Amino acid sequence: MKKEYDAGSQLYEKFANSRWAKITYKRDEVTGELNELGHENVGRGSSNENRTDYEFDCQAALYQAIQYYCTGIETYAETATAIIHGWATKHKNWVGSESYFLAQGNSCDLVAGAEILRYTYPKWTQQNTDELIKYLDEVVDPLVNIMVGQPLRAANQGAIDFNGAITHAVFKDDKDKFEKCLYAFQYDGMSSIYNLILPNGQNGDSGRDSGHARGLLSALTNAVEVAWQQGYDLYRYPSAEDARLLRGCEYFCKSLLQEGDPNWIPFGGYGAAFPAVATGLVTDGLTCLDIAYMRYKQTFGMDCSWIEQYPYKWVDANSFFYKYASNVTIKVPEYIQSLPAFKSFTYTSLNSADLQVVTINVDPSKPAPVVERNGNAGSLSGYGTWTDDFKKKDDSFTFLYIPITGDGSFKVKITGWDKEIDNASVGVMVRDFLTKDANFAEVGWSRKWQKVNDTDQWVSAPTTSRSRNGSNVSNGRDLDAYQREWPYWFILERRGDRIAIKASSKDPDAEYWIPKGECIMPNNETLYFGIYVAPKDDSKGPLKVSFSDLQIGTLSGE
């Protein structure tokens, strides 16, 4: 960056002319004094109170700090320090329904500006550092999931969450939280690298729109670069041959340049298995391409042919942060290390005879459930008055289950049911007890009778995930659910106290599951995994659900 400044390059000029990098930012035009900085309340979503001030000031804190580093002009450092101090001491409350975006995303610029000043500006004090850490601890980090021990959100939201967590952990020198970020990168049930980007490069928002797909990659590449600066190579993860982040950036460029992808795999994460890749070139916010090109092409010498073809490369003001001359080779520092190998589940066939049946909260006058068994397939017939308000603990259903002790996984293909009952529900579930007030996580399917294109027909309701006394299960939905029919595949995975939920509407390759949610459940030694059925209306029961391909998974090498 300093070389670009010294050379007066176009990239530097584009950066310097942005509103956030100007020496007059937030200064009175006559006196040159700084205007008031910081507010008590900030919001996004249902309330946007002081949102623009927060977003602009966070970005300016970073830009002003960079300007100080490049030019040596102390006015920039004074502005950046005042911005950070103002927000760290005045901001107390988040308002609005989506303030987590500001806490997880925009705060990263505030922290990055402070990180520069901390090591380059002589007048930056320990008090400045302590103020910002206190602000992160008390105001910001409660909305950053990893920092408070929660699973990530999904798709672009998960990437933004991850970026915020790892950036804050580094500034706070919080080794424990930093290591939790690395764990989440590998294993988070919604937004691990495997759930964010498929082997072919599709990401969780590729089918939503190209702006959100870009946002996912931008947050993720920034987080991976933060890890790189701390000595971890997440760029070539899980391997140089399957560098998942590179595949994501290349796919983003290729699919937009080709205006589609004829081999699209229905995939999503935030709320859908989207039917096709989104199109439309994105012209701004392309730091993901800058960072990817710098590392993959110039550090590792890897192919970036689609990134190089993307016509808007290097036009963003932020390109100044990551641009090297094309003939520069960047060496890999000796301290860089890789993450340990990912521990995957190895599946073996499960005999249906090993599953037990129980009714939970079902009217005792109803006939007993019937189980038909045929190797790793069979059917379950039962009653239940499944409720929508499951927090009331009035769920009533029939459950075919197997106890699993320790880490493990349950996988099954649901092949259909024997009758159409409005709002009936079937699916897979994990519970800590076989009582009606137990904690649980589940993903299910129901059917509704409604109009589609002016025709009354049965509609497959969204496959939704939910939990009781867990946390952060995504209420995922298939946007094109009315087109989907049985069979449907489901997986429940347990790692420690985390339950990951996955689904697929096609005969799935192990790497192409749609993440449907993750929750935290009490770390009981034994949990109960299985299939449930509930007709919703017992007068129309019993309901019979058929299944096959029962499998049980254990962590490889354990």
Side-chain angles (χ1 to χ4, degrees), residues 30 57 94 107 121-122 137 149 174 183 213 263 267 355 450 502 515 533 555:
V30 178
D57 284 358
W94 296 107
S107 65
Y121 181 39
D137 285 343
D174 191 331
Y183 182 89
N263 299 311
F267 179 65
L355 273 62
Q450 63 187 54
K502 302 177 182 180
V533 57
L555 280 174

Side-chain angles (χ1 to χ4, degrees), residues 358-377:
V358 65
T359 57
I360 296 179
N361 205 30
V362 171
D363 183 345
S365 68
K366 295 297 180 185
V370 176
V371 182
E372 299 175 2
R373 307 176 189 271
N374 181 21
N376 68 348

Side-chain angles (χ1 to χ4, degrees), residues 266-308:
F267 179 65
Y270 173 69
F274 298 107
V277 67
T279 57
L281 291 176
V282 178
T283 62
D284 61 350
L286 294 170
T287 54
C288 53
L289 303 186
D290 297 279
I291 300 172
Y293 185 86
M294 172 188 67
R295 287 290 170 231
Y296 289 113
K297 182 73 172 183
Q298 296 179 279
T299 304
F300 307 135
M302 298 169 69
D303 178 60
C304 294
S305 56
W306 286 103
I307 295 174
E308 291 178 299

Side-chain angles (χ1 to χ4, degrees), residues 57 71 136 138 261 268 300-301 340 367 419 429 465 493 510:
D57 284 358
T71 68
L136 294 175
E138 297 181 357
D261 175 10
F300 307 135
K419 64 183 72 172
M429 177 188 300
S465 307
E493 288 184 350

